[in-house]
Amino acid sequence: MRILLWHVHGSWTTAFVQGEHEYLVPVLPGRPADGRGRARTWDWPSSVREVTPGRLRRAVEDGEVDVVLLQRPHEARLLREWTGRTAGGDLPAVYLEHDAPGGPAAATRHPLADVDAVADGRVPIVHVTAFNALMWDTGTARTTVIDHGVPDPGHRYTGEREHLAAVVNEPVRRRRAAGTDILLCLAREIPAEVYGMGTERLAEQLAPLGPVAAGTAGRLHDLPQPELHERLPGARLYLHPYRWTSLGLALLEAMALGMPVLALPVTAAYEAVPPEAGVLSADPDELAAVARRWLNDPAEAAAYGKSAREHVLRRYPLDLFLDRWSTLLTQEVSP
């Protein structure tokens, strides 16, 4: 099958393109958000091909695109502008919703809930967690849930560095949702490493918090995924500070590496982190206490990490993820 999708979410797409299909990814000069092309910080197979808008139009005209995977509301407009075809009309299409609703949680109307092609069932909406499906108001649109799939990075946990680690993109801009204040609270007393885009902006907020936090200001990194997976499991534990998120793939990847985890008991974290894999708490003091315990007891930390890895590979297997997506897309192409 030949699948058109935009490069929106690097970690999710890295799992998705491990399938047996051919993947067409739009590319534009300068690689802006609507034309990032192939990933440059993740390992993608040769089955992922970049296409310019002009090449995409020819591919569609020649019948070289079987289905469109939309991930943002405006991508249907881009498809129409670039190819003259409509999603769900001229071309089979599926809409993937990565996020939890950003407005009032129980009452936020999905942007595609009232689009005709979605409302009459021609473009199903796929959620990445059951929690998201529960919270979004998708009207009469056909919806389903396909859980994440995690490529196995191997058990790499060593925990030799007595630090907690966190992966948070844009921690200053996304402060409340990302739980950056929780991270800063723990960083006052627990040496930390923070990875992700825009983490350098944390330095000026860490420095005034005392000597331990000032040390963390020197451990802010934005690394390609292969380097991140090499570096991350050297930290003793992983902190997932998010208040409101879908289900961070960085959390699942840390668990797959064999890291013990701390997280807030919100959204889908309860099913991602069972008691044997880590600790969920809404109390930052309790999270800090567990972090200190694991820093002083590497054997206990490693035991939690072993369970975390076993759980995530059992609960979010890549082969099941790929099979479910292949089945869904095949059904849309050949109803």
Side-chain angles (χ1 to χ4, degrees):
M1 190 181 304
R2 291 157 298 192
I3 304 167
L4 168 65
L5 74 157
W6 276 260
H7 174 186
V8 174
H9 190 305
S11 289
W12 184 91
T13 310
T14 297
F16 183 71
V17 299
Q18 304 306 312
E20 59 186 2
H21 309 292
E22 185 176 347
Y23 309 89
L24 305 178
V25 181
V27 64
L28 293 170
R31 298 181 181 269
D34 287 335
R36 288 176 175 154
R38 285 178 55 91
R40 291 175 290 178
T41 56
W42 286 270
D43 291 330
W44 286 4
S46 60
S47 55
V48 183
R49 293 195 293 114
E50 294 183 341
V51 289
T52 63
R55 177 67 186 90
L56 178 59
R57 177 180 285 271
R58 293 193 297 273
V60 169
E61 291 173 348
D62 294 341
E64 296 177 7
V65 177
D66 296 310
V67 63
V68 182
L69 178 61
L70 304 170
Q71 300 170 76
R72 298 168 297 173
H74 73 281
E75 289 176 359
R77 173 181 54 80
L78 290 177
L79 178 71
R80 187 171 60 254
E81 292 175 354
W82 292 357
T83 71
R85 308 299 173 91
T86 59
D90 302 315
L91 280 173
V94 170
Y95 188 93
L96 171 63
E97 178 53 68
H98 286 285
D99 298 320
T108 300
R109 188 80 165 171
H110 195 278
L112 267 69
D114 302 308
V115 176
D116 289 343
V118 177
D120 69 13
R122 285 182 288 139
V123 180
I125 297 175
V126 182
H127 295 282
V128 296
T129 70
F131 178 86
N132 288 9
L134 176 72
M135 300 310 289
W136 275 112
D137 175 4
T138 50
T140 60
R142 182 160 48 105
T143 62
T144 190
V145 176
I146 298 182
D147 291 316
H148 289 301
V150 180
D152 184 0
H155 189 283
R156 305 189 193 185
Y157 179 71
T158 61
E160 77 270 14
R161 298 191 302 277
E162 295 182 0
H163 301 161
L164 68 80
V167 177
V168 183
N169 285 325
E170 301 293 345
V172 174
R173 179 179 64 82
R174 302 167 65 209
R175 186 179 179 91
R176 288 286 297 176
T180 302
D181 56 316
I182 305 297
L183 171 61
L184 292 174
C185 179
L186 268 66
R188 287 178 180 271
E189 53 178 305
I190 311 290
E193 308 168 4
V194 187
Y195 300 86
M197 296 181 292
T199 53
E200 71 281 355
R201 296 182 60 195
L202 275 179
E204 61 186 27
Q205 299 189 19
L206 285 160
L209 300 180
V212 175
T216 293
R219 294 188 292 268
L220 307 174
H221 311 282
D222 182 8
L223 301 177
Q225 190 188 51
E227 293 181 32
L228 176 64
H229 284 179
E230 287 293 332
R231 177 72 181 171
L232 193 65
R236 184 66 52 83
L237 63 128
Y238 185 82
L239 172 67
H240 186 66
Y242 288 80
R243 277 188 178 84
W244 189 250
T245 186
S246 175
L247 177 58
L249 272 168
L251 168 66
L252 302 184
E253 291 169 356
M255 294 171 70
L257 291 165
M259 300 187 73
V261 296
L262 301 177
L264 306 182
V266 295
T267 65
Y270 74 94
E271 58 182 334
V273 186
E276 66 273 15
V279 173
L280 301 178
S281 177
D283 183 353
D285 290 339
E286 181 179 358
L287 295 176
V290 176
R292 288 193 297 270
R293 192 175 80 221
W294 286 348
L295 293 183
N296 292 322
D297 191 341
E300 180 185 346
Y304 272 93
K306 179 176 182 293
S307 295
R309 173 174 163 78
E310 292 170 352
H311 172 76
V312 81
L313 295 180
R314 181 174 61 251
R315 177 65 179 77
Y316 304 97
L318 181 63
D319 55 352
L320 178 59
F321 167 81
L322 295 173
D323 286 347
R324 293 194 65 194
W325 269 106
S326 289
T327 298
L328 175 68
L329 293 173
T330 300
Q331 289 173 347
E332 297 307 311
V333 172
S334 304

